Amino acid sequence: MGVKYLEDNANQRFTLLSAAITAALGGKISTPILGLRRMKYVALESQFDFGSSGTTTNFWVQTSLDGGTKWIDIANFTYSAASGRKGTSLDTTTRASAITPDSGVLANNALLNGVLGDRLRVAYDSVGDHGGASIVIVGVSKA
């Protein structure tokens, strides 16, 4: 897996994931986006094109506080047998209550505000075979 490095400056626009989904998937991980150590805010948008068949797809946007050893879910986009577009934003000014950080467990279409590390990635899975489905998740970070 490669790594995407961004210049460490105030504002960044990036693609977290752009992928075709044609079969049931489990435990897939996108290439991490690095160079976000000044990130205080991130806006995220996902566009899922359903295609045909398949039932559920889950996409967990994740951050890491320890250099990428362990990952924490911060947003989830779930799609069930339909195309759609979803978005959210997260920042560091809203404090999260105590959590048990983990990967791939955040509830459907939920977010965890207040926790932003210096990198982002997407973990994803799908149930059922998808005919021609695709996902694009983009973000904009601000210091």
Side-chain angles (χ1 to χ4, degrees):
M1 166 173 44
V3 175
K4 297 178 190 174
Y5 288 93
L6 299 178
E7 293 179 30
D8 189 24
N9 61 34
N11 301 313
Q12 297 286 343
R13 182 180 315 264
F14 47 85
T15 299
L16 274 166
L17 178 64
S18 180
I21 300 172
T22 58
L25 302 171
K28 297 292 279 184
I29 304 292
S30 71
T31 301
I33 303 287
L34 306 181
L36 299 171
R37 68 186 169 116
R38 293 175 47 192
M39 177 173 54
K40 304 282 186 238
Y41 167 91
V42 64
L44 301 166
E45 181 180 57
S46 66
Q47 174 69 49
F48 180 71
D49 293 319
F50 175 63
S52 63
S53 301
T55 55
T56 304
T57 53
N58 274 290
F59 304 92
W60 292 275
V61 178
Q62 302 177 323
T63 193
S64 178
L65 304 176
D66 64 1
T69 301
K70 295 182 181 170
W71 292 85
I72 303 166
D73 298 339
I74 57 172
N76 172 277
F77 300 113
T78 298
Y79 294 94
S80 296
S83 295
R85 184 175 170 204
K86 298 178 181 184
T88 193
S89 63
L90 302 128
D91 63 52
T92 58
T93 61
T94 304
R95 294 190 179 154
S97 56
I99 62 162
T100 301
D102 212 343
S103 173
V105 297
L106 191 63
N108 293 356
N109 299 309
L111 63 92
L112 173 64
N113 211 357
V115 180
L116 292 174
D118 66 347
R119 60 198 65 218
L120 296 171
R121 74 176 189 183
V122 178
Y124 57 105
D125 65 23
S126 67
V127 177
D129 291 335
H130 293 267
S134 64
I135 182 72
V136 176
I137 300 177
V138 296
V140 174
S141 68
K142 298 182 179 185

